[in-house]
Amino acid sequence: MTEKIARFLNEEQPPTPCLVVDLDVVAEKYRALRHHLPLAEIFYAVKANPAPEIVRLLNDLGSSFDVASTAEVDLCLSLDVDPARLSFGSTIKKARDIAYAHDAGVDLFAFDAEAELRKLAAAAPNSRVTCRLFVDNAGADWPLSRKFGCDLTMARDLLLEAADLGLIPDGVSFHVGSQQTRADQWDGAIGMTAELLDDLENRGLPLRNVNLGGGFPARYRDAVAGIGTYGEAIMHAMTRHFGNRLPTMSVEPGRYLVGDAGVLQSEVVLISRKSYGDERRWVYLDVGRFGGLAETEGEAIKYRVQTPRDGEPTGPVVLAGPTCDGADILYESAGYEMPLSLEIGDKVEFLATGAYTTTYASVGFNGFAPLKQYFV
Ligand SMILES: *Cc1c(COP(=O)(O)O)cnc(C)c1O
């Protein structure tokens, strides 16, 4: 919790649940990443938090943007982002959406399948294309990659075909999984990429760029290494696998840039036990799985939780949301404890909730409004 956020919550007393984002933290994270990976072009993954305030700030700082829909293209363009700095990084696109983006000036698209490549050749002729590789996501608290990417042999064939189809093969991308807790996890993916680029060069197709994806972590319950450790591990892997013939690099951070910048404040609605002898209390809050905390699915993302009574003796709790859905439980097995003195009406804050929250909130399940967001 930054001083600015604490002051805002204290002075404004906004209705809960709400998210407060400190834009200074977003700027700090951007500069830190820039500092530790100076050779990489930064594409902010807009889906992490598409608030215009954030896109505008990052645009002013010189960021490029990774988008996945025509609405995200429109959002960026409406905020004066140069379309040449947009990458349509989703590998699953309708042909008419590709055409729309291409007409708007977007010139860089990702694919991981032949059918998608053919759509690109037809709807975005002459554009630059990136093939996404399937890579190991071990160590990621929110893995992605079973859904995306193709293997090396297929990637090689598709990139050669891309050139035959009149597209401009730009490079290779991968994503080592979101909230990647192991900085060394990029090494294997970079090694595969080097092998592929070498193979393609021997076949007369030199590629320019390696897109290292996202995955840089926010600080949740468990400590994570700093961005310097990630930058070093990546540059070490790049020089180990490419020697002194480094390709250009891109990164697509989402969670890292905005996660730590947000605090979600909620209120305790009910504290109860399921039987007289139960040690464990159920703490029901006015925010839950459907109010923005969707990444508690499988208790995968474990947010740090603050109460006004921290420091007092604690006991085990189940944390749950307010809706009439049995799936609306945040944490039951992750071992959360809260002060025994906690009372109905107390404010409870979830830290590092700036990423993947506001847009994951339902539009009005059970009549609860989507998560409101403030900027300081
Ligand atoms: C979501 C996404 C990202 C951002 O991932 P983080 O783990 O939030 O950094 C980057 N690239 C692509 C293609 C994505 O879909």
Side-chain angles (χ1 to χ4, degrees):
M1 167 101 62
T2 68
E3 214 170 285
K4 265 166 83 186
I5 295 177
R7 192 178 333 122
F8 176 86
L9 288 171
N10 192 32
E11 285 173 4
E12 303 295 324
Q13 303 273 325
T16 61
C18 68
L19 180 72
V20 187
V21 173
D22 186 339
L23 291 169
D24 290 352
V25 176
V26 179
E28 247 170 61
K29 296 282 175 181
Y30 180 86
R31 292 195 179 102
L33 181 59
R34 167 98 291 152
H35 177 75
H36 289 287
L37 267 178
L39 297 180
E41 180 174 359
I42 299 174
F43 290 78
Y44 170 53
V46 170
K47 74 173 187 290
N49 189 328
E53 288 83 351
I54 291 172
V55 172
R56 196 178 292 122
L57 169 74
L58 290 171
N59 190 36
D60 289 346
L61 291 172
S63 184
S64 299
F65 297 88
D66 171 60
V67 294
S69 64
T70 57
E72 287 185 353
V73 171
D74 286 344
L75 167 74
C76 290
L77 297 185
S78 75
L79 297 168
D80 290 329
V81 176
D82 179 350
R85 287 202 289 116
L86 294 184
S87 164
F88 208 132
S90 167
T91 52
I92 306 154
K93 305 174 284 300
K94 292 178 179 171
R96 60 179 174 278
D97 293 350
I98 295 168
Y100 179 93
H102 189 240
D103 285 347
V106 178
D107 179 46
L108 182 58
F109 297 86
F111 69 92
D112 64 5
E114 187 179 17
E116 189 74 10
L117 185 60
R118 291 187 174 278
K119 280 189 236 168
L120 288 169
N126 303 314
S127 59
R128 290 180 296 140
V129 293
T130 296
C131 186
R132 183 155 168 183
L133 280 180
F134 178 94
V135 300
D136 189 0
N137 271 207
D141 287 344
W142 195 256
L144 301 167
S145 205
R146 262 190 320 172
K147 180 169 172 182
F148 306 104
C150 61
D151 76 6
L152 276 184
T153 310
M154 189 180 283
R156 179 197 67 199
D157 292 349
L158 293 179
L159 284 160
L160 289 166
E161 186 179 346
D164 290 341
L165 289 169
L167 295 161
I168 303 168
D170 186 69
V172 171
S173 69
F174 55 78
H175 195 305
V176 294
S178 201
Q179 188 66 12
Q180 176 53 261
T181 58
R182 288 169 39 188
D184 63 0
Q185 192 56 280
W186 272 263
D187 186 77
I190 290 170
M192 279 172 68
T193 305
E195 193 184 317
L196 175 60
L197 263 55
D198 196 44
D199 186 0
L200 283 167
E201 188 165 9
N202 291 334
R203 293 163 192 268
L205 185 68
L207 294 188
R208 192 185 66 93
N209 191 253
V210 176
N211 183 332
L212 303 155
F216 307 99
R219 170 64 161 88
Y220 299 121
R221 199 173 65 171
D222 298 330
V224 285
I227 196 66
T229 302
Y230 285 79
E232 256 174 50
I234 285 173
M235 286 318 296
H236 183 76
M238 288 298 291
T239 46
R240 186 161 98 81
H241 295 290
F242 286 97
N244 54 11
R245 298 183 61 228
L246 281 188
T248 62
M249 286 171 257
S250 325
V251 283
E252 297 174 334
R255 188 184 301 280
Y256 168 75
L257 287 180
V258 294
D260 288 348
V263 171
L264 194 162
Q265 188 174 63
S266 69
E267 183 184 311
V268 178
V269 181
L270 177 66
I271 303 173
S272 66
R273 293 174 204 264
K274 297 298 170 191
S275 66
Y276 296 123
D278 253 3
E279 194 204 351
R280 204 158 67 154
R281 291 162 299 159
W282 281 69
V283 174
Y284 300 92
L285 303 167
D286 61 1
V287 73
R289 180 73 54 79
F290 299 98
L293 299 179
E295 288 193 324
T296 57
E297 167 78 37
E299 308 194 20
I301 296 295
K302 297 178 191 68
Y303 295 106
R304 278 180 288 164
V305 182
Q306 256 182 19
T307 79
R309 302 173 198 275
D310 287 353
E312 295 177 28
T314 62
V317 294
V318 177
L319 275 174
T323 68
C324 303
D325 190 308
D328 191 7
I329 294 173
L330 301 174
Y331 301 116
E332 192 168 8
S333 337
Y336 275 78
E337 298 222 339
M338 283 189 152
L340 296 165
S341 54
L342 191 75
E343 284 185 14
I344 291 170
D346 280 355
K347 296 288 204 297
V348 168
E349 281 100 28
F350 290 81
L351 305 187
T353 38
Y356 303 119
T357 51
T358 52
T359 46
Y360 275 171
S362 76
V363 293
F365 179 47
N366 258 181
F368 294 106
L371 185 61
K372 197 162 157 64
Q373 180 167 219
Y374 302 92
F375 296 89
V376 296

